[in-house]
Structures are given as structure tokens and as C-alpha cells.
């Protein structure tokens, strides 16, 4: 009984000490270690695409180079995939990627923002992110030095449209 009391007291003291230490120094080892552990989490996407689409292949290369694993599946009717994942016609693009936890990334969403999105908490009706159409200069849609500003939009079940990020410069994507 006495040993249990001493062990419990030491555990409480250690927890309080760590809490106080992290309050005094928000950049202490504990938050850094948590960030390292989060970064080690592997992201894997299943990418549904047309077998003849070159920009889809280029986008997959971009995703893989960023450390995200992909499994590409060639599909004859992309409309069925988009309907299955509730992607409204005005939010569609050429390919659809789905994470292990069911979030959808439609079109040429940069890997940087996929990682950021997956690290965040989202309202229950959130489906994922989209870059509607195929803006020139997005990952996979590079055409020399040409770049068109674009928005990354949030996909929701209730069609509430709002912008996740506005991309105004090419370099911001990476």
C-alpha cells in the first residue's frame, strides 16, 4: 500500500513538473517530440484517375516526392467516383484522391496543404479539399513559367463553400 502511494505521488509530481515546465517554455522538448511523432505518421492516398491523363501522373509524382504514398487506380468512369464521394460538379477536376481516414482531395491540391489539412481537426460534414478545374501552374499542371492564381476550396456534405487557402504565387505551393 505504501509503495503504491509513493509511486502515485511520484507520477503526479512528474506530471505537474512537465506541465509547469512546458507552460514556462512552450518550445520545450515535449511539443517538439509530439511534432516529430506526428510527422512520422505515414499518409497514403488512393488516387482514382483516367489511365491516359498525363497531368494526373505528374500530380502523383509531386505527391510521392513529398513523402505521401499513393496507390493509383485507373477508372473508366470518373463521374461515378465523384458521385460516390459527393463531389459537386462545380468542384470537380480530373482525379480524386482518398486518404485512409476517408478525406477526399480533388484535383491538383498541393501536397503541402494535404498534409496540413490531415493534421487539423475538421467539422463533421467536411469531405476534404479541392482545386476545381485544372489551373495552370498547380502541381502536375506546370506549363513553363505560366501560373494562374487559384483557391483551394473545402468540400462539405452540405455544399457550404469556403476557401481553405488562396494561392497567389507559384512558390507558395511547396
Amino acid at each position: 500500500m505504501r509503495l503504491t502511494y509513493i509511486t502515485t505521488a511520484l507520477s503526479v509530481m512528474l506530471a505537474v513538473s512537465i506541465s509547469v515546465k512546458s507552460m514556462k517554455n512552450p518550445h520545450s522538448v515535449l511539443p517538439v517530440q509530439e511534432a516529430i511523432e506526428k510527422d512520422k505518421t505515414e499518409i497514403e492516398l488512393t488516387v482514382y484517375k483516367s489511365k491516359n491523363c498525363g497531368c494526373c501522373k505528374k500530380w502523383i509524382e509531386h505527391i510521392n516526392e513529398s513523402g505521401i504514398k499513393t496507390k493509383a487506380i485507373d477508372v473508366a468512369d470518373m463521374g461515378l467516383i465523384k458521385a460516390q464521394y459527393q463531389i459537386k460538379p462545380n468542384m470537380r477536376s480530373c482525379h480524386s484522391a482518398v486518404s485512409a481516414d476517408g478525406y477526399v482531395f480533388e484535383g491538383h491540391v498541393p501536397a503541402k496543404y494535404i498534409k496540413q489539412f490531415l493534421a487539423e481537426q475538421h467539422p463533421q460534414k467536411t469531405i476534404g479539399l479541392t482545386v476545381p478545374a485544372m489551373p495552370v501552374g498547380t502541381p502536375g499542371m506546370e506549363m513553363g513559367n505560366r501560373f494562374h492564381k487559384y483557391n483551394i476550396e473545402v468540400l462539405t456534405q452540405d455544399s457550404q463553400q469556403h476557401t481553405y487557402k488562396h494561392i497567389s504565387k507559384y512558390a507558395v505551393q511547396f
Side-chain angles (χ1 to χ4, degrees):
M1 172 102 169
R2 185 177 171 103
L3 183 59
T4 303
Y5 175 77
I6 292 171
T7 305
T8 303
L10 286 173
S11 297
V12 169
M13 286 173 36
L14 180 62
V16 169
S17 172
I18 290 171
S19 295
V20 169
K21 193 180 238 182
S22 64
M23 286 171 60
K24 287 180 183 175
N25 181 7
H27 303 291
S28 67
V29 174
L30 196 59
V32 171
Q33 184 136 5
E34 287 173 5
I36 290 169
E37 291 303 314
K38 263 190 169 181
D39 197 41
K40 286 182 182 176
T41 305
E42 250 182 36
I43 299 172
E44 197 167 327
L45 299 177
T46 301
V47 183
Y48 299 96
K49 65 178 198 63
S50 168
K51 70 178 180 176
N52 298 320
C53 185
C55 70
C56 294
K57 292 173 187 171
K58 289 171 130 182
W59 181 80
I60 290 171
E61 287 174 16
H62 159 75
I63 294 299
N64 290 336
E65 288 170 0
S66 77
I68 297 174
K69 292 185 175 188
T70 57
K71 175 185 175 186
I73 299 175
D74 292 335
V75 178
D77 186 354
M78 286 299 298
L80 292 175
I81 297 295
K82 296 177 190 305
Q84 176 184 342
Y85 289 104
Q86 303 174 23
I87 303 166
K88 306 293 182 234
N90 64 328
M91 294 285 121
R92 293 180 179 180
S93 187
C94 55
H95 55 268
S96 304
V98 182
S99 69
D101 48 1
Y103 285 112
V104 177
F105 301 97
E106 177 70 6
H108 295 266
V109 180
K112 169 183 176 178
Y113 296 107
I114 292 173
K115 290 177 179 180
Q116 180 179 314
F117 179 88
L118 290 173
E120 300 167 341
Q121 295 293 318
H122 302 285
Q124 191 172 4
K125 293 185 178 188
T126 303
I127 297 171
L129 298 175
T130 182
V131 173
M134 298 164 66
V136 172
T138 57
M141 286 296 298
E142 294 89 354
M143 295 183 181
N145 291 330
R146 294 176 51 205
F147 175 78
H148 294 162
K149 297 176 186 179
Y150 67 96
N151 289 335
I152 301 172
E153 302 291 340
V154 176
L155 291 169
T156 62
Q157 291 173 342
D158 58 9
S159 298
Q160 291 290 325
Q161 184 176 339
H162 68 278
T163 300
Y164 182 75
K165 294 287 179 192
H166 174 71
I167 310 300
S168 59
K169 295 181 181 175
Y170 177 80
V172 173
Q173 304 173 102
F174 306 100

